[in-house]
Amino acid sequence: MKKDGHPDYHFITVKMTDGSSYQTRSTLGKEGDTLQLDIDPKTHPAWTGGNQNLLDRGGRVSRFNDRFGGFMKKK
């Protein structure tokens, strides 16, 4: 095996947006560095299921409903 074939794998601290933190192993930076997250699973709507708003920009949703709106209606 080649020498220096793998990156340095060491412990870093990951700091969440609410101030909590945990240690994990990573190739980022050097031993003891801190990774400050701007978005994390506790706050991002993709993980929390937050408020979803459907914005009709340019009439796309309206055009779709005009063309296919009655497709699923019961007769």
Side-chain angles (χ1 to χ4, degrees):
M1 187 182 247
K2 289 183 179 179
K3 187 176 182 176
D4 298 328
H6 295 281
D8 180 31
Y9 197 57
H10 50 270
F11 282 100
I12 65 166
T13 302
V14 178
K15 192 166 187 178
M16 307 289 262
T17 57
D18 67 352
S20 64
S21 62
Y22 64 92
Q23 279 201 324
T24 188
R25 291 178 55 112
S26 175
T27 58
L28 177 75
K30 58 185 183 281
E31 181 82 27
D33 280 353
T34 300
L35 172 63
Q36 179 73 42
L37 296 180
D38 294 330
I39 299 172
D40 64 25
K42 294 179 182 179
T43 59
H44 194 275
W47 288 287
T48 62
N51 298 335
Q52 296 177 350
N53 296 326
L54 181 60
L55 299 176
D56 186 7
R57 297 187 188 253
R60 293 181 185 144
V61 174
S62 299
R63 284 186 300 195
F64 179 84
N65 287 334
D66 290 344
R67 290 180 71 185
F68 304 107
F71 182 71
M72 297 300 288
K73 291 181 181 177
K74 294 182 180 179
K75 292 181 181 181

